[in-house]
Amino acid sequence: MQKLDYLKESPSQTAGPYVHIGLTPNKLGIPGIYPTDLGESPIREGAKGEQITIVGTVQDGAGMILRDALIESWQADAEGIYPGNDPRGAADPNVTGWARIIADFDSGEWTLSTIKPGRVPFPDGRMMAPHIALWVVARGVNLGLQTRIYFEDEDNESCPVLQRIEHRPRVNTLIAKKTADGTYRFDIVLQGENETVFFDI
Amino acid sequence: MKNDIDRGPLFFRDRDWHPAAYTPGYKTSMTRAPFRPLVALGSTLSEETGPAFGHTMIGALDNNLILNFTGQPAIGERIIMHGRVLDENGRGIPNVLVEIWQANAGGRYRHKKDNYAAPLDPNFGGCGRTISGPDGSYEFLTVRPGAYPWPNHVNNWRPMHIHISVFGSGFGQRLITQMYFEGDPLIAKCPIVKTIGQEKAIQALVAPLDMNRAIPMDCLAYKFDIVLRGRRQSFFENRKEGL
Ligand SMILES: [Fe+2]
């Protein structure tokens, strides 16, 4: 028999307690190596769409709020086009789409200010509800966790990804709750009763 | 910049190759591991697309950890860390961001939560970054980090290691891992290393000494290739026109 000569993905290792040295040194208090930390905002002045702010925490199975979590977000522009390598064309030039967000070192709260993304097609052509993809790492997390923020004031019923969640009440863990005009709350629970849905996607 | 390397559905992750989420030997994972099964499905545009970083954002000393903090050289064994960012199809991935962070030569991090007895080096910050070249290659100049103790079981020590964060062309390829050094006896004893179940997978994170890249009378070199999820390419892909 011939040999399949694929490589194997590098196995993941935890980001550990010192991830901020590498990824947000300025916010940690190590200035001077890089002019700014990367991913300060997923949008620039003039980005089209509804301005929104999402606030949340990351909580562990003992109910403790993590102070050392780091999250990255990736989203489409208001028309549902991704910046960069979207095969359907160019996105709003004022949307970079990517942000690096850290839990506050004291309170553990994180904030993402952005524009609400548009709907993006699933591979079969059906539309996914507006969402922001998240990747969560921290000490104690061996492989980055993939989840998504959806919005309670959008039509989420027909989203083909949300439909894949068999235990229907858990869909609720992916829906950001509106707390004021343009403001949402999204708490991530790593383990336990209200455990957030994580994807293998 | 658009080419077939950044298109197409992602290969599924081999979850038996990666560490499990719940690994009691590494205590912190016990309260941070999801208990429910992951919701599994094929990649969508949200995972197949991803952020792009330009070569222009990288400063001249960003990949030189010996000089990038104060301009004066850090203390330690000088090493080149180099390799390629590849996908599982074996193709180099160009133009992707590679970021690293590490302890200094004594095993101490520049972090207020690190109170290990080894001193800070006033000329060592501990982070670096670069963008992969056209063939996926990357290179850093740094000092070999020291081993250090950490609170887990009573006497756990981390082997010498460099933390690595890497982007592919799709957000679903995002990966953080660690590079270890050939011959380090602490590798086999480390609970974080042992979160990985298969010995072959552990060996994939051990960088061999590379005398071909060592510079005589200057520095040693270690070679470390980073492999990200591959992409499926087929004319038979079940997709609507234009997607
Ligand atoms: Fe470390």
Side-chain angles (χ1 to χ4, degrees):
Chain A
M1 190 167 68
Q2 295 188 1
K3 194 170 176 250
L4 277 173
D5 59 354
Y6 294 110
L7 302 177
K8 293 293 284 183
E9 187 184 10
S10 297
S12 172
Q13 292 272 262
T14 180
Y18 306 125
V19 61
H20 302 89
I21 296 174
L23 304 190
T24 59
N26 289 290
K27 289 188 190 70
L28 183 66
I30 308 178
I33 300 180
Y34 309 141
T36 57
D37 291 332
L38 294 177
E40 298 271 4
S41 175
I43 54 170
R44 283 189 279 262
E45 189 79 34
K48 296 189 196 78
E50 182 192 348
Q51 298 271 342
I52 58 168
T53 299
I54 305 158
V55 179
T57 55
V58 182
Q59 199 178 300
D60 72 10
M64 295 274 291
I65 289 170
L66 274 62
R67 267 71 176 174
D68 54 9
L70 184 142
I71 301 169
E72 289 181 1
S73 67
W74 176 240
Q75 67 170 89
D77 70 7
E79 302 298 321
I81 304 287
Y82 279 102
N85 56 340
D86 192 319
R88 297 167 302 156
D92 179 345
N94 292 317
V95 174
T96 60
W98 176 74
R100 187 170 270 169
I101 312 154
I102 60 172
D104 184 88
F105 295 132
D106 296 318
S107 71
E109 199 160 80
W110 56 265
T111 302
L112 171 63
S113 292
T114 184
I115 51 112
K116 195 187 262 186
R119 301 195 304 160
V120 175
F122 194 63
D124 66 7
R126 287 181 291 163
M127 297 305 277
M128 298 187 280
H131 65 273
I132 298 175
L134 297 185
W135 176 79
V136 183
V137 296
R139 177 172 66 97
V141 174
N142 290 330
L143 172 59
L145 296 166
Q146 298 169 285
T147 188
R148 289 180 172 194
I149 301 174
Y150 285 84
F151 301 92
E152 78 170 338
D153 52 353
E154 295 288 337
D155 172 18
N156 296 310
E157 285 301 306
S158 56
C159 178
V161 169
L162 293 178
Q163 283 175 358
R164 295 290 280 271
I165 301 168
E166 283 175 33
H167 190 51
R168 298 311 293 165
R170 297 198 67 212
V171 172
N172 203 32
T173 67
L174 299 182
I175 314 274
K177 303 296 181 296
K178 201 162 187 169
T179 51
D181 248 13
T183 309
Y184 296 85
R185 180 90 201 172
F186 189 80
D187 290 307
I188 298 166
V189 180
L190 298 180
Q191 183 190 89
E193 199 177 344
N194 297 311
E195 185 174 308
T196 301
V197 169
F198 296 103
F199 292 100
D200 180 9
I201 187 168
Chain B
M1 223 167 83
K2 280 183 187 153
N3 53 44
D4 65 353
I5 195 89
D6 57 21
R7 297 281 177 83
L10 298 171
F11 290 179
F12 301 108
R13 271 205 157 114
D14 182 348
R15 296 267 165 182
D16 295 328
W17 180 256
H18 283 288
Y22 185 81
T23 47
Y26 175 26
K27 287 182 185 173
T28 314
S29 74
M30 294 171 73
T31 51
R32 295 183 170 194
F35 283 167
R36 314 250 188 174
L38 303 176
V39 174
L41 64 155
S43 61
T44 75
L45 274 173
S46 306
E47 293 74 38
E48 293 160 16
T49 59
F53 302 93
H55 289 262
T56 53
M57 66 165 230
I58 300 293
L61 290 179
D62 281 8
N63 68 345
N64 182 342
L65 285 76
I66 289 180
L67 290 178
N68 73 8
F69 191 47
T70 62
Q72 297 299 310
I75 291 170
E77 184 182 336
R78 297 161 60 84
I79 60 167
I80 286 173
M81 166 190 179
H82 78 99
R84 292 172 73 201
V85 181
L86 304 158
D87 74 3
E88 289 170 292
N89 290 305
R91 299 178 303 187
I93 310 182
N95 306 318
V96 295
L97 178 65
V98 181
E99 297 162 287
I100 65 170
W101 66 101
Q102 63 170 86
N104 69 23
R108 175 81 182 268
Y109 282 96
R110 187 169 286 281
H111 194 288
K112 60 177 183 292
K113 287 203 171 145
D114 186 355
N115 49 21
Y116 179 36
L120 284 172
D121 176 345
N123 295 314
F124 189 73
C127 62
R129 63 185 182 187
T130 190
I131 302 263
S132 64
D135 59 349
S137 61
Y138 75 91
E139 182 175 44
F140 291 96
L141 180 65
T142 187
V143 294
R144 189 209 284 259
Y148 60 84
W150 60 294
N152 187 58
H153 301 304
V154 170
N155 193 22
N156 283 144
W157 292 71
R158 294 302 326 278
M160 301 175 287
H161 64 279
I162 296 177
H163 296 265
I164 303 158
S165 158
V166 60
F167 289 78
S169 51
F171 194 55
Q173 294 172 302
R174 192 77 181 86
L175 185 73
I176 280 182
T177 188
Q178 300 181 27
M179 178 190 106
Y180 302 101
F181 292 81
E182 177 187 354
D184 186 343
L186 290 171
I187 294 171
K189 299 180 189 301
C190 176
I192 287 179
V193 171
K194 287 194 281 193
T195 60
I196 300 171
Q198 299 182 40
E199 181 57 27
K200 264 178 80 175
I202 291 173
Q203 290 305 317
L205 298 183
V206 181
L209 178 68
D210 179 359
M211 291 306 284
N212 288 336
R213 279 292 279 268
I215 303 174
M217 308 306 285
D218 184 336
C219 61
L220 287 172
Y222 286 85
K223 181 167 189 292
F224 190 71
D225 287 337
I226 303 160
V227 182
L228 301 180
R229 294 169 72 182
R231 289 175 185 268
R232 202 166 66 227
Q233 315 257 289
S234 170
F235 289 115
F236 299 112
E237 207 57 63
N238 180 23
R239 291 191 169 224
K240 286 201 170 165
E241 205 55 44
L243 293 181

